[in-house]
Amino acid sequence: MAVQPEGTPCWADAMFADIEGAKSFYGDVLGWTFGESWPEFGDYTQAYVDGKAAAAVSPPMPGTEGAPSSWCLYLASQDAAATAAKVREHGGEVLVEPMEVGQFGTMALARDPGGAVFGIWQANAHEGFETEMGTPGGYCWGEVFTRDAKAVDTFYPAVFPYTSRKFDDESMDFAMFDVQGQTVIGRMVMDKDFPPDLPSYLNLYFAVPDCDAAVAKATERGGVLRFGPVDSPFGRFAAITDPQGAAFSVIDVTTTEGEMPATSPVT
C-alpha cells in the first residue's frame, strides 16, 4: 500500500503489560497472527491478517508500566516536525517529540485540545496498514470521541488538510473529515451515556466477518461489551473493552441497515 495522503489514518498500535495475553486475545477475536518481536524497538511486534500488516502491540516503555492500555491511531504526515508545530500552534500538545524509528519512519504523539491522544507518522520503509479497508481483521474506521466538539472541529482541519462535513440531522452532533474527497475520520460528541470519568479518545474500528460472533469471542476471553451490537447504514458494530482495558470497536461492513445520513459541508 502506498504512502497515504496527509491526515489519513495509516497505522495503529497499543502497549500491553501482558503482551502474550494481548496476542492471544486479539488472535482469537480478530484472527491476527504475529511476527517476531523487535528487541531493538522495545519488543514491538506486528500483527498480520493473511500476511498483511494490520497493527502492532508492544510491552510498556520504561517508565510507563503503570499507564492504562489504549489503542493509538496514527495519522499520516509528510513532515512530522511540521505537523507537530501545527499541533502546538492550534492548541494541541505534543507528548512525544518527532523521533526516527530506524529506517521505518518518524513518529510523534500528540493530544488534541479536547484531550484525545493520536499519533503522527511520517513513513519511510514502513508505510502503514497493508490491509484494505473493510478486510476482516484490518483497521476500518476511526472516530474522535470528545466533549469539546468546537475546539476539535477547529483543530484537526488546521493541522491536516481536512475539509469538514456534518450530519444534517441535528439530533446527532457528528462530523466527518475528508481528504482528497475521501472521508477518513469522524468526530462524535461524548454525551451523558459515556462515563463522566472517561477521557476523550480516538476510537478504532476493526472489521470482522460477524459482529455478534466477535463480541461473543471477546467476552468469552474476558473483554467487556460496552455498546451494541447494533445495526447502522455503515455496518453492524459493537464497542468493547479488552481484558487489559483498551477500548476498540468491531464492525461487520457487509451487514447494513437504513439509509446513509445526509451531510452538508461545514463552511
Side-chain angles (χ1 to χ4, degrees):
M1 182 179 290
V3 173
Q4 296 298 298
E6 187 98 0
T8 303
C10 62
W11 191 240
D13 61 21
M15 292 188 295
F16 295 100
D18 179 2
I19 192 71
E20 293 303 320
K23 290 163 66 175
S24 178
F25 175 83
Y26 286 99
D28 270 0
V29 176
L30 298 179
W32 288 353
T33 58
F34 295 86
E36 295 295 322
S37 61
W38 297 330
E40 66 272 34
F41 298 109
D43 287 329
Y44 200 79
T45 306
Q46 286 200 151
Y48 296 88
V49 174
D50 294 331
K52 296 181 178 181
V57 298
S58 69
M61 293 185 293
T64 66
E65 289 85 356
S69 295
S70 63
W71 281 100
C72 180
L73 183 64
Y74 292 78
L75 305 178
S77 170
Q78 296 175 6
D79 184 333
T83 301
K86 288 182 181 179
V87 167
R88 288 194 183 91
E89 179 184 352
H90 296 285
E93 180 183 359
V94 177
L95 304 176
V96 175
E97 295 290 340
M99 57 182 288
E100 290 187 6
V101 185
Q103 77 275 23
F104 300 109
T106 301
M107 62 85 67
L109 293 179
R111 180 183 287 125
D112 71 29
V117 174
F118 64 95
I120 298 165
W121 182 250
Q122 178 186 338
N124 191 7
H126 182 70
E127 296 179 348
F129 297 123
E130 295 176 348
T131 52
E132 298 294 331
M133 187 76 72
T135 299
Y139 168 82
C140 188
W141 177 243
E143 290 170 348
V144 182
F145 282 12
T146 186
R147 292 184 173 84
D148 194 345
K150 183 177 180 180
V152 165
D153 289 355
T154 300
F155 172 79
Y156 283 97
V159 175
F160 299 102
Y162 292 156
T163 56
S164 305
R165 291 179 294 126
K166 294 188 74 174
F167 282 180
D168 291 347
D169 182 356
E170 295 183 357
S171 67
M172 177 176 285
D173 189 349
F174 189 86
M176 292 168 286
F177 300 124
D178 299 350
V179 173
Q180 298 180 7
Q182 297 293 318
T183 302
V184 295
I185 200 165
R187 188 273 296 149
M188 171 73 80
V189 170
M190 298 171 75
D191 59 20
K192 58 180 176 58
D193 293 330
F194 287 82
D197 58 343
L198 181 66
S200 298
Y201 67 103
L202 248 163
N203 187 47
L204 281 69
Y205 290 72
F206 293 107
V208 292
D210 184 322
C211 180
D212 296 73
V215 167
K217 180 63 70 174
T219 53
E220 287 170 11
R221 292 298 311 269
V224 178
L225 178 63
R226 298 298 184 185
F227 178 80
V230 64
D231 293 315
S232 79
F234 306 97
R236 183 167 175 81
F237 69 95
I240 299 167
T241 301
D242 75 19
Q244 298 186 61
F248 69 103
S249 293
V250 292
I251 183 167
D252 169 11
V253 297
T254 68
T255 303
T256 61
E257 183 175 294
E259 298 294 325
M260 285 290 187
T263 64
S264 296
V266 175
T267 56

